[in-house]
Amino acid sequence: MSLLWLRVAVFLYGIAALAVLPAALYDRPRWRHLAIPATIAGLLFHFVSLTEMLNAAHHSLPVETHETQSLLALLLALAFVLIYARFRALALGIFLLPLAFLLGLLPAFRPGLEADTLPGLSSGWLFLHIALLLAAYAALFVSLVASVLYLIQERRLKSKSLATDRFRLPPLATIDSIALRSLLFGLPCMTAGLLIGSLLAQITYGATYFRDPKILLAFAMWLAYVGMIYIRRHSGLRGRRAVYLSSFVFMVVLCVWAANQLSAVHRFPTP
Amino acid sequence: MSENTNPALVLLGINHNTAPIEVRERLAISAERLPDAIRSLSSVPGIREGLILSTCNRVELLTVQDDTSDLLTFLHEYFAVPAATIKPHLYEFREREAVRHLFRVASSLDSMVVGEPQILGQVKESYTVARDVGAINGSSGGGGQLDRLLQSAFTVAKKVRTETHIGSNSVSIASVAVDLARKIFGSLHGKVILMVGAGKMSELAVRHLIGHGASHLILCNRTKQRAERIAAEFARPGVNVEVIPFEDLYDQATRADIVITSTGAKHHIFGRSNGVHFVQRRRGRPMFFIDIAVPRDVDPRMNEVEGCFVYDIDDLSQVAAGHQADRNREAAAAEKIVAHEVARYQDRLKTLGAVPAILALQENAEALRQAELARTAKVLASLTPEQREAVEAMTRSLTNKLLHPQIVALRKPSE
């Protein structure tokens, strides 16, 4: 049943991803009235699907790639709705909603294998570890998208082409605020996620887990994340250089994600 | 006597397209005089309802009347202007064309600056005054043609504003400056403006920016007295005005989010390096330079500095012209809405005209039904109350079904 709800959610994300284009770029209220409710409805179905999936096997966790993708899709769609509620900025949906749609598409039609919990591991803490890190990834992606939008809007203002093109983007200050606040939101998520993960690994594997390439990369990612926030806050980095910096940290995050394949700690037995 | 003739909807007026300002100003009516003018208009023989719309660009009389010839005489007598002076500039619309003209006026399609928002408020104000003095009847009970027409005009104007972008972009230099500032800073609340030099255009831009929330104004002028005079003009509660000496300009400029320059200097006051320095000291927070001076006060290369946005007078004019072109495009879509709404209004009017005939038909049928029931009352006397109710319902239903095609035909608007 959880798959059916997920398919409905993905379908709604697809509608929202299409509707947000005219709504954000041409300021068409009718399309906005479709995009926002479709996203909210998609989120509800997605949440139901996720809850059912987790309850179905009691101790099962979304550790398989497809389930983590699905959870990330939910977080991205949620980020879009929260940003819209706070800043009335639809433009981020141009990037966030298609990504949420694509991330949800694969798990909706090819379910992954739910893993049984390792003995001695609390599935609640493990779920929190995964969810917090995915929230940090989503926050970083939002920040990257906002930085790109900042660059586009800055170029448009500098080229003085606002009178001739009809695209509507949020004000620079709003985009900048979204970029910085999403980073500030992501930092405690990432810190807590890594701490919980470290404690769980310490209990299960002992000190040897420090030699795991994924763990080493994850701490490098945390340092890069903190470094980026420091630079952005203290030097007021915006525009082109902010995009470069966000892209670099995002690449580190992708490496961390890919490193799951090399990590002994992140392999779970399947039923 | 006149009650028997069909009253006509007539719109007579002059506007910025048909009359020069010399004529328009002679017919202009101030807000204080408007009730008296409308009262005088409605007391003209043959006028059943009347309204006067008077703005700086137009004077229009909208009437439901038996005879049209009196309106020119009214203008001549009320304003004491010879009829020959007014007549060449007058336009007159009747019925459908009058409806169309009013819809276009309320939707700001007939304005000098297409899409300007004030006109709808002015039409509403005239309507309120006309209602208050009793020159417009209420639309309940079949009367009140002007009331119905004006309500429709307001609805059409709202539709045009929501379904097109006719009024969404500014077309004056000062409001373009505000629009651009909002694209950079979002809200202008608490923003600091630095005004270097003085001039009508820059003062107007400052006024617009303060109107949109900027609350701190720094004035810098080579002549301190002049700066202080301007400071006195802008001083008001909620606005912090400060005058700084010209020597402190480069130190103080970093505090400003928006810099408006209009000095008579022969060379650039702000160079590219100043921009780099300002943004560094502001930790990357953007600055918006509005350069109204000719020759320019700000080196255009400053626009290349990350965080600096420089617009000179030509750039602002170009944006305004682009917005005007946008408005013209939107106006074409708005004209379609107006045409559609005029047709709908005319259809509704025809349906309303059929109401008395429909009522007469229904009353006649009901009288016949009652008469037939009375004729068979003796036969029906033996029926139980439920059976009697069933017969009542059956006859009522039969009458309604027989009348239905005729009522539909009466309501159907003629081609």
Side-chain angles (χ1 to χ4, degrees), chain B residues 171-212:
Chain B
V171 288
S172 75
I173 300 289
S175 43
V176 162
V178 171
D179 270 6
L180 288 167
R182 289 172 76 173
K183 283 194 165 91
I184 297 169
F185 303 108
S187 163
L188 298 186
H189 281 275
K191 290 289 171 280
V192 181
I193 309 167
L194 167 64
M195 183 171 154
V196 189
K200 269 192 176 171
M201 184 87 84
S202 55
E203 282 175 36
L204 188 65
V206 168
R207 227 173 279 282
H208 267 68
L209 289 163
I210 288 175
H212 282 82

Side-chain angles (χ1 to χ4, degrees), chain A residues 152-171:
Chain A
I152 295 170
Q153 180 72 327
E154 187 188 48
R155 294 263 160 102
R156 291 171 75 224
L157 280 161
K158 279 189 179 291
S159 68
K160 295 154 190 180
S161 64
L162 291 160
T164 47
D165 70 44
R166 308 185 78 199
F167 294 158
R168 282 157 201 271
L169 288 177

Side-chain angles (χ1 to χ4, degrees), chain B residues 14 30 67 112 123-124 129 140 152 161 167 177 199 247 262 312 333 376 386 388 395 408:
Chain B
I14 58 163
S30 65
D67 195 327
M112 188 182 266
V123 178
K124 282 184 176 170
V129 173
S140 55
S152 299
R161 276 211 119 56
E247 303 79 64
S262 60
D312 61 33
T376 51
E386 288 80 18
R388 194 184 288 273
T395 52
V408 169

Side-chain angles (χ1 to χ4, degrees), chain B residues 122-134:
Chain B
Q122 289 162 333
V123 178
K124 282 184 176 170
E125 182 59 33
S126 294
Y127 163 74
T128 309
V129 173
R131 274 206 75 150
D132 289 349
V133 301

Side-chain angles (χ1 to χ4, degrees), chain A residues 9 27 65 80 94 98 107 127 180 201 211 214 216 245 252-253 268:
Chain A
D27 196 20
T65 319
F80 167 67
I94 299 168
F127 179 77
L180 194 59
R211 287 194 290 274
K214 155 99 179 181
L216 292 172
L245 192 62
V252 176
V253 168
F268 294 89

